[in-house]
């Protein structure tokens, strides 16, 4: 039913075109048109090679590229090139007067004006989505997936075409039927129409091809691709997919038994796998959805690419939907470059999945905090806007460039560049924030130990605590003084050893004098501390010990002085070493014992 | 107009090692700080010593926690 109504439409179109008087166009002539249509996947990819000749006298600078409206509405990607020299030409949608409404026109700017007699070859690549209509539209699980393509065997153009041919590459499967016009040949899975010679402008002969397609009609209704750039060495890409099967809808029920029956499983129209081609050196790849991790995936990587084969939780039949998230990290130096004082991110725009058509894609490029002068260059038109995202360790938020596009096909998977300015000093703000956080913790500790949290300032426990604090402080000072005394004793002993080595009496005497004065000063300092300890009531159990310590220390001092004098006298009299040793032997023993006792007492005081 | 690739200021492979060392040093200095706090009496405490120790400790701990975050995959 639908097929015949469209054919009627096309016939009417043909009539209206032929009825209208030919408007005054530049009289270019297309001497050779070769069209190849590839319908092996879910979209139609048309490659045209047009040889344009200008037989007239005026020079021409633009060329009209036309498509019938039902194709033009579904045009996803269009690019026009010249082979020699290789150049991309700019194409704009045009609306010139005199062209009927049922034709969409694109105006191509020629690289240099085509003067009389010149010729030029244009290579046009156009991709159309939604032109392979499933027919029948609803199938059961066991049926094969048949689709229909409607096109014109002759190239619809406002110019005269001298010679043209069309070849349609069908998938390697069953071909149900095709329109048979003159010069039609079917070779294997390639359908050839033509060559047709010397046709007037706007000539059109509709054809319909009905064939089986084994391609996966996977369409992402919405794809949100977030690319987060971190100058610490990583580009993190997170993609959220909502995938639907846009082929013939499933009619009736789904039987898992039939689907997995061997040897004849039923369910050819469904697809199970999606293949994604990620850049090389992608790491930390995850594949999950709202439920959790999906483990049915495989990864293969080499130096040129990383291939990720994912299998959703269930096979997708016509009309079925699934949603999932894929994330991966990429090394920064593969994608971030510096040129002329600015930095730019060079990364692919579309989905990395092969043969996936996206109805709406939103690409968010998140740049680090402190990026300025942001601009984007894309090889095709996108809708741009800017946002702010608040993420880890952010003060003002990160700028986000949001690019939106509808009807995206794998031809759009080219690289885009996002330019911005950033100085490396801004990187320091993150560790500074962490450092100040830790510093605040330490300040809190300091304040806590110094603050007075007691509720009552006159309770006996509080007062006792205050007194005890003072006693402890005094004890520490006493300890330090005793340590200094002991150090002085050590110096004295050292001078004695020096004397035995060098025989220099004068330095020994000088050392003795200095140690004497030092010890006198220290004992003076000790007096008030001792007085305080004796007077305070809470130190009552310690002060006898402290006094004992001081007394012992004095004894040690005296004995050491005596020994020193004896040794020096011995040297002055030049008596033998053994003599000296005998004299001081007993003194030495007492000295050692006293020293030990003093150290024990010091330890005891320490432990309090 | 050659485009030079930009890499991070510190090689990414060094992040785990750096985080371990800076965190270890930071924790040791934190320990020194807390030992000083508990063994000194109220009169003998010196604010300068406390502030200096806590400043050095917080610098090392800050960098250590940053490298720890980076090494575990949270590229802040």
């Amino acid at each position: 039913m639908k097929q015949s109504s469209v054919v009627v439409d096309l016939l009417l179109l043909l009539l209206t075109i032929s009825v209208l008087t030919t408007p005054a166009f530049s009289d270019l002539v297309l001497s050779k048109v070769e069209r190849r249509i590839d319908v092996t996947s879910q979209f139609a990819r048309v490659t045209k090679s047009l040889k344009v000749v200008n037989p007239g006298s005026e020079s021409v600078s633009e060329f009209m590229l036309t498509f019938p409206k039902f194709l033009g509405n579904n045009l996803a990607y269009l690019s026009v090139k010249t082979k020699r020299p290789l150049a991309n030409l700019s194409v704009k949608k045009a609306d010139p007067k005199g062209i009927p409404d049922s034709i969409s026109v694109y105006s191509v700017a020629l690289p240099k004006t085509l003067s009389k007699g010149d010729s030029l070859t244009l290579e046009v690549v156009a991709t159309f989505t939604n032109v392979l209509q499933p027919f029948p539209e609803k199938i059961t699980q066991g049926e094969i997936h048949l689709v229909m393509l409607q096109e014109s065997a002759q190239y619809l153009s406002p110019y005269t075409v001298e010679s043209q041919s069309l070849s349609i590459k069908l998938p390697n499967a069953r071909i149900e039927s095709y329109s048979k016009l003159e010069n039609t040949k079917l070779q294997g899975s390639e359908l050839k129409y033509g060559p047709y010679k010397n046709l007037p402008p706007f000539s059109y002969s509709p054809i319909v091809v009905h064939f089986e397609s084994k391609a996966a009609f996977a369409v992402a209704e919405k794809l949100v691709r977030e690319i987060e750039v971190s100058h610490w060495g990583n580009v993190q890409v997170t993609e959220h997919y909502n995938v639907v099967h846009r082929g013939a809808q499933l009619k009736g029920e789904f039987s898992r038994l039939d689907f997995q029956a061997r040897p004849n499983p039923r369910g050819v129209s469904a697809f199970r796998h999606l293949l994604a081609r990620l850049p090389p050196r992608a790491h930390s790849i995850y594949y999950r959805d709202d439920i959790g991790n999906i483990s049915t995936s495989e990864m293969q990587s080499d130096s040129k690419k990383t291939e990720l084969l994912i299998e959703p939780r269930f096979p997708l039949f016509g009309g079925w939907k699934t949603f999932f998230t894929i994330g991966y990290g990429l090394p920064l130096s593969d994608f971030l470059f510096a040129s002329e004082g600015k930095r730019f991110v060079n990364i692919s725009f579309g989905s990395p999945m092969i043969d996936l058509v996206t109805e709406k894609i939103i690409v968010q490029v998140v740049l680090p905090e402190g990026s300025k002068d942001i601009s984007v260059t894309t090889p095709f038109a996108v809708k741009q806007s800017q946002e702010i995202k608040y993420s880890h360790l952010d003060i003002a938020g990160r700028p986000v460039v949001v690019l939106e596009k509808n009807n995206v096909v794998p031809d759009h998977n080219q690289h885009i560049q996002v330019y911005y300015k950033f100085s490396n000093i801004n990187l320091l703000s993150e560790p500074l924030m962490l450092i100040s956080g830790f510093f605040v913790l330490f300040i809190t500790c300091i304040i806590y130990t110094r603050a007075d949290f007691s509720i009552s300032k006159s309770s006996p426990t509080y007062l006792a605590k205050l007194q005890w604090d003072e006693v402890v402080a005094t004890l520490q000072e006493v300890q330090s003084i005793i340590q200094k005394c002991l150090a002085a004793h050590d110096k004295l002993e050292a001078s004695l050893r020096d004397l035995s080595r060098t025989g220099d009496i004068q330095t020994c005497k000088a050392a003795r004098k200095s140690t004497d004065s030092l010890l006198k000063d220290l004992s003076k300092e000790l007096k008030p501390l001792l007085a305080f300890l004796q007077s305070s009531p809470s130190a009552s159990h310690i002060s006898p010990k402290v006094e004992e310590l001081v007394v012992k220390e004095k004894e040690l001092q005296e004995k050491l002085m005596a020994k020193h004098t004896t040794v020096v006298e011995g040297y002055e009299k030049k008596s033998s070493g053994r003599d000296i040793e005998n004299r001081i032997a007993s003194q030495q023993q007492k000295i050692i014992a006293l020293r030990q006792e003093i150290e024990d007492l010091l330890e005891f005081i320490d432990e309090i | 107009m050659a485009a030079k690739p930009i890499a991070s200021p510190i090689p990414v492979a060094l992040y785990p090692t750096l985080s371990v060392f800076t965190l270890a040093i930071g924790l040791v200095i934190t320990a020194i700080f807390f030992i000083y706090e508990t063994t000194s009496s109220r009169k003998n405490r010196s604010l300068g010593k406390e502030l200096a120790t806590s400043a050095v400790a917080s610098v090392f701990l800050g960098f250590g926690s940053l490298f720890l975050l980076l090494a575990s995959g949270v590229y802040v």
Side-chain angles (χ1 to χ4, degrees):
Chain A
M1 217 31 66
K2 192 162 179 198
Q3 181 184 359
S4 56
S5 70
V6 175
V7 170
V8 165
D9 268 328
L10 296 175
L11 284 173
L12 277 172
L13 166 70
L14 189 62
L15 280 170
T16 42
I17 292 166
S18 54
V19 156
L20 287 167
T21 53
T22 333
F25 276 114
S26 52
D27 33 26
L28 292 171
V29 166
L30 297 171
S31 64
K32 191 159 183 225
V33 173
E34 277 172 18
R35 291 195 299 153
R36 283 173 295 279
I37 305 182
D38 184 338
V39 286
T40 45
S41 72
Q42 57 168 311
F43 41 80
R45 204 149 180 271
V46 180
T47 322
K48 290 197 266 263
S49 164
L50 309 160
K51 189 152 180 224
V52 183
V53 175
N54 186 4
S57 50
E58 297 173 6
S59 346
V60 175
S61 60
E62 67 165 4
F63 174 77
M64 303 282 171
L65 195 60
T66 50
F67 301 105
K69 198 73 165 188
F70 68 90
L71 276 186
N73 285 345
N74 290 320
L75 178 69
Y77 175 74
L78 178 64
S79 93
V80 182
K81 289 197 195 108
T82 49
K83 267 241 169 90
R84 278 175 291 267
L86 189 64
N88 257 345
L89 304 179
S90 68
V91 184
K92 272 194 309 277
K93 189 148 174 44
D95 196 13
K97 289 186 277 289
I99 300 267
D101 273 342
S102 42
I103 300 183
S104 24
V105 184
Y106 290 86
S107 145
V108 179
L110 297 175
K112 52 186 201 319
T113 55
L114 209 57
S115 38
K116 178 183 167 111
D118 260 356
S119 75
L120 184 65
T121 312
L122 297 173
E123 309 277 334
V124 177
V125 175
T127 312
F128 302 96
T129 53
N130 292 336
V131 292
L132 291 178
Q133 295 153 339
F135 188 74
E137 285 171 15
K138 289 201 205 294
I139 56 175
T140 61
Q141 184 181 337
E143 293 175 17
I144 57 171
H145 191 214
L146 294 166
V147 296
M148 192 167 69
L149 169 71
Q150 290 165 353
E151 243 287 12
S152 152
Q154 283 141 13
Y155 178 50
L156 177 69
S157 108
Y159 311 111
T160 319
V161 182
E162 281 174 13
S163 151
Q164 59 171 299
S165 65
L166 165 69
S167 92
I168 305 181
K169 183 162 178 230
L170 300 168
N172 211 354
R174 183 161 138 202
I175 300 175
E176 189 82 6
S177 71
Y178 56 93
S179 315
K180 288 189 175 57
L181 306 176
E182 53 173 32
N183 276 356
T184 310
K185 276 192 297 286
L186 177 63
Q187 288 172 340
S189 56
E190 195 150 333
L191 190 57
K192 288 203 210 298
Y193 287 89
Y196 299 111
K197 297 225 186 291
N198 284 330
L199 290 166
F202 295 112
S203 56
Y204 189 90
S205 42
I207 54 168
V208 172
V209 186
H210 194 200
F211 57 96
E212 179 193 358
S213 173
K214 287 205 168 132
F217 274 60
V219 171
E221 282 180 318
K222 186 167 171 198
L223 165 58
V224 178
R225 197 167 128 92
E226 188 188 0
I227 301 168
E228 183 161 343
V229 176
S230 160
H231 284 128
W232 291 106
N234 190 40
V235 174
Q236 183 73 23
V237 181
T238 316
E239 298 167 356
H240 304 275
Y241 288 87
N242 279 334
V243 175
V244 68
H245 186 301
R246 279 272 156 79
Q249 308 249 322
L250 183 69
K251 180 172 66 176
E253 59 190 18
F254 168 63
S255 156
R256 177 65 76 167
L257 194 62
D258 283 343
F259 186 65
Q260 290 181 321
R262 298 276 176 269
N264 298 322
R266 289 158 178 270
V268 239
S269 63
F271 65 85
R272 294 174 90 146
H273 301 281
L274 289 166
L275 182 66
R277 283 225 176 90
L278 307 177
R281 293 173 290 274
H283 61 87
S284 314
I285 305 177
Y286 62 87
Y287 167 46
R288 61 171 177 81
D289 67 1
D290 281 351
I291 301 168
N293 178 50
I294 306 176
S295 55
T296 46
S297 58
E298 276 163 21
M299 191 187 93
Q300 222 182 9
S301 64
D302 60 34
S303 61
K304 296 262 170 52
K305 63 186 182 312
T306 311
E307 278 189 353
L308 177 70
L309 182 73
I310 59 171
E311 194 177 324
R313 291 189 191 271
F314 44 86
L316 282 168
F317 279 89
W320 288 15
K321 295 185 195 187
T322 183
F323 51 89
F324 53 85
T325 307
I326 291 181
Y328 48 98
L330 302 163
L332 185 69
S333 44
D334 285 348
F335 295 95
L336 186 66
F337 303 93
S339 85
E340 295 171 357
K342 282 190 144 195
R343 304 182 177 208
F344 66 95
V345 182
N346 185 28
I347 199 159
S348 63
F349 176 75
S351 160
M353 305 237 174
I354 58 175
D355 281 349
L356 183 83
V357 171
T358 311
E359 280 178 4
K360 185 177 172 74
I361 192 172
I362 301 174
V363 176
Q364 300 166 333
V365 183
V366 181
L367 298 171
E369 208 183 354
S371 310
K372 291 187 271 283
D373 295 342
I374 301 171
S375 67
V376 183
T377 48
T378 52
F380 36 77
V382 292
K383 193 170 88 143
Q384 288 185 28
S385 58
Q386 276 210 17
E387 280 178 2
I388 301 263
K389 179 183 171 192
Y390 294 97
S391 181
H392 318 286
L393 299 180
D394 278 346
I395 305 169
R398 301 174 186 220
V400 182
V401 180
V402 181
L403 308 168
E404 287 182 36
K405 192 168 172 62
N406 290 335
N407 219 7
V408 178
V409 286
D411 292 288
H412 283 123
N413 209 5
Q414 302 167 21
H415 281 236
I416 58 165
Q417 288 85 32
V418 180
Y419 288 86
Y420 64 99
K421 277 207 185 110
F422 186 86
S423 64
N424 258 359
I425 300 288
N426 292 352
L427 269 184
L428 263 183
S429 71
E430 286 157 0
L432 273 175
M433 218 186 296
L434 288 167
I435 290 172
S436 53
F438 279 109
F439 195 60
V440 162
L441 276 175
F442 283 114
I443 297 282
T444 318
C445 284
I446 293 174
I447 294 175
Y448 176 73
T449 52
R450 282 164 189 274
D452 187 10
F453 287 117
S454 61
I455 298 169
S456 145
K457 285 228 194 310
S458 53
S459 70
T461 32
Y462 181 71
L463 290 171
K465 186 161 157 294
L466 276 181
Q467 277 179 345
W468 180 246
D469 278 342
E470 285 179 15
V471 166
V472 168
T474 325
L475 274 177
Q476 279 180 340
E477 282 174 34
V478 166
Q479 246 186 321
S480 67
I481 291 179
I482 302 279
Q483 299 281 16
K484 283 189 205 151
C485 290
L486 287 176
H489 296 327
D490 285 336
K491 247 197 330 191
L492 214 52
E493 301 254 353
S495 74
L496 277 181
R497 279 196 291 276
D498 274 346
L499 183 63
S500 69
R501 229 171 9 104
T502 58
D504 193 350
I505 301 180
Q506 295 307 323
T507 35
C508 198
K509 280 201 175 146
R512 164 79 184 269
K513 274 215 181 74
S514 64
T515 324
D516 258 344
S517 52
L518 183 65
L519 286 171
K520 278 209 178 67
D521 286 334
L522 288 173
S523 62
K524 266 206 214 110
E525 278 176 37
L526 211 48
K527 277 210 179 71
L529 298 173
L530 281 176
F532 169 75
L533 276 176
Q534 278 163 354
S535 64
S536 84
S538 46
S540 48
H541 57 288
I542 301 189
S543 70
K545 283 253 157 35
V546 178
E547 284 176 18
E548 203 187 315
L549 179 66
V550 173
V551 160
K552 285 219 164 75
E553 203 275 324
K554 273 227 163 51
E555 256 187 71
L556 179 61
Q557 215 175 334
E558 284 167 19
K559 292 245 158 30
L560 209 55
M561 293 302 176
K563 172 177 150 193
H564 196 262
T565 335
T566 328
V567 174
V568 170
E569 275 177 16
Y571 266 96
E572 279 178 346
K573 289 194 197 131
K574 299 228 194 297
S575 50
S576 71
R578 198 164 291 178
D579 251 349
I580 300 176
E581 275 200 30
N582 289 340
R583 274 186 232 160
I584 63 171
S586 58
Q587 284 176 338
Q588 187 72 357
Q589 273 183 356
K590 281 196 203 131
I591 287 173
I592 291 176
L594 273 175
R595 189 89 188 222
Q596 188 60 36
E597 283 172 24
I598 288 180
E599 274 173 18
D600 285 340
L601 277 172
L602 275 175
E603 264 187 51
F604 176 75
I605 292 179
D606 226 357
E607 282 164 20
I608 293 184
Chain B
M1 188 192 77
K4 240 179 12 141
I6 299 178
S8 80
I10 303 165
V12 178
L14 280 184
Y15 285 150
T17 322
L18 265 179
S19 75
V20 165
F21 281 122
T22 39
L23 272 180
I25 297 173
L27 286 171
V28 163
I29 303 181
T30 311
I32 293 174
F33 172 79
F34 277 111
I35 289 173
Y36 182 68
E37 285 285 322
T38 47
T39 55
S40 68
S41 66
R42 210 165 244 274
K43 273 208 288 187
N44 290 350
R45 238 174 253 149
S46 129
L47 183 64
K49 224 165 147 190
E50 287 178 329
L51 282 176
T53 327
S54 62
V56 174
S58 60
V59 165
F60 277 105
L61 281 176
F63 275 108
S65 57
L66 174 78
F67 290 129
L68 183 66
L69 277 171
L70 292 172
S72 53
V74 179
Y75 279 89
V76 295

